[in-house]
Amino acid sequence: MRILSGIQPSGALHLGNYFGMMRPSIELQNQGDAFYFIADYHSMTSLFDAEERRRNTRDVALDFLACGLDPRRAVFFRQSDVPEVCELTWILGTLTPMGLLERCHSFKDKSAKGIPVNSGLFTYPVLMASDILIYDSNVVPVGQDQKQHVEVTRDIAIKFNEAYGQTFVVPEPRIRGEVAKVPGVDGEKMSKSYGNTIEIFGPEKALRKKIMGIKMDSRAPGDPKPDADQNLAIQLLTVVDGSIGKDYEEKLRAGGLGYGDLKKKLFEVYWDHFAAARDRRAELENNLDYVHQVLSEGAAKARAKAQEVLHRARKACGLE
Ligand code: AQP
């Protein structure tokens, strides 16, 4: 079983990225042939600063390794180190109906929010299809927001196979229900481009301030809160630690728990959860040669596979 997933270096990684994609991917690295990549081509649809992309790419590598990605088990690489993916994107784009892309929520949501959109963002699902199909991937662990893109990938693979004969593996999304859509500090989907994230790593003071700044309603601490499960701090606490989350949900429902104490608890649980990863990250930061070596070895392995599949696709559609 080949498992494939990617993450954009479009900003600091956050709890949504971690619980929606990174943790499930790290768990799956023991169950198959895992390929995980830093989607730097994708980041070009929203980030236009070269130095920031370089820095973010390095940071994503540090974050993912610190959180437990094991390069002895998973092939870890940078998307742009496999330029074959761009040629396949063109080939797949010729079979992708406009309507399929016009229906994609992620593009529609960003344009509805007034975020400037470009044609790269519009055709992003075709590049994502290429990312997945070029490694013969079977399983794609993603958050709920990416489910539709994996479905688009399936449609494109089926279309290609029908037009040119059996060429691509048709992949399946793998979504963990309880963390499918981690909310941000404003209650919307936590997203780098919405400015509502809680980062996995960062300075303690700033992160504490962010969590303590989550807006609550004006009910008094003593009031029972029958809607405790809808409380944002409870939802985030449950994402980080299900049993503490349930315990605090009951306390809030019964009355007597102040919002300040609840948010303090959320900060502590979150901070402790990443303590070991923070230490590992600090070590890795002092050993960047190792990080570069992991990515270049990963790129060589990924590229060999991509060249094999691209050759198969080029032959199938008459380019060879
Ligand atoms: N809030 C979330 N809840 C659950 N999963 C999430 N993911 C992202 N946000 C949440 C999952 O993280 C993986 C990598 O995401 P990405 O960085 O490649 O792109 P994204 O989904 O577009 O993440 P952002 O933060 O929203 O980035 P921007 O703002 O740059 O577009 C994916 O598997 C995603 O599902």
Side-chain angles (χ1 to χ4, degrees), residues 188-205:
E188 295 268 322
K189 183 200 108 144
M190 190 177 286
S191 185
K192 296 173 211 115
S193 50
Y194 298 167
N196 63 358
T197 59
I198 299 171
E199 291 83 14
I200 306 172
F201 300 106
E204 179 174 356
K205 204 170 156 201

Side-chain angles (χ1 to χ4, degrees), residues 43-88:
S43 74
M44 297 187 76
T45 61
S46 61
L47 176 66
F48 303 94
D49 182 314
E51 203 36 59
E52 205 177 328
R53 188 173 353 273
R54 269 185 215 107
R55 195 174 53 244
N56 288 349
T57 301
R58 188 206 69 157
D59 283 349
V60 171
L62 286 170
D63 290 359
F64 221 146
L65 290 168
C67 286
L69 185 148
D70 181 353
R72 289 165 305 178
R73 297 178 194 279
V75 175
F76 186 36
F77 60 101
R78 202 165 43 175
Q79 184 185 28
S80 63
D81 281 337
V82 186
E84 286 76 6
V85 82
C86 292
E87 182 178 347
L88 186 61

Side-chain angles (χ1 to χ4, degrees), residues 23-173:
R23 192 170 71 173
S25 300
I26 289 162
E27 285 166 9
L28 280 169
Q29 71 190 353
N30 299 319
Q31 291 174 36
D33 192 10
F35 275 45
Y36 300 140
F37 66 94
I38 304 172
D40 53 352
Y41 281 143
H42 281 289
S43 74
M44 297 187 76
T45 61
S46 61
L47 176 66
F48 303 94
D49 182 314
E51 203 36 59
E52 205 177 328
R53 188 173 353 273
R54 269 185 215 107
R55 195 174 53 244
N56 288 349
T57 301
R58 188 206 69 157
D59 283 349
V60 171
L62 286 170
D63 290 359
F64 221 146
L65 290 168
C67 286
L69 185 148
D70 181 353
R72 289 165 305 178
R73 297 178 194 279
V75 175
F76 186 36
F77 60 101
R78 202 165 43 175
Q79 184 185 28
S80 63
D81 281 337
V82 186
E84 286 76 6
V85 82
C86 292
E87 182 178 347
L88 186 61
T89 301
W90 170 255
I91 295 172
L92 299 177
T94 62
L95 286 169
T96 308
M98 287 291 287
L100 194 62
L101 300 180
E102 279 162 2
R103 284 195 292 279
C104 285
H105 301 304
S106 135
F107 173 78
K108 286 200 292 190
D109 290 352
K110 283 194 174 139
S111 60
K113 282 197 156 60
I115 295 171
V117 288
N118 48 56
S119 69
L121 187 71
F122 182 67
T123 54
Y124 164 116
V126 188
L127 176 56
M128 180 161 159
S130 177
D131 289 324
I132 296 170
L133 300 179
I134 207 163
Y135 302 111
D136 282 340
S137 314
N138 307 98
V139 171
V140 188
V142 284
Q144 183 69 30
D145 60 326
Q146 294 290 346
K147 180 170 183 262
Q148 191 184 32
H149 292 159
V150 181
E151 279 158 5
V152 167
T153 302
R154 291 170 55 84
D155 286 354
I156 296 174
I158 291 166
K159 260 186 179 301
F160 188 100
N161 290 346
E162 279 171 4
Y164 296 117
Q166 184 60 39
T167 305
F168 292 119
V169 172
V170 180
E172 299 279 345

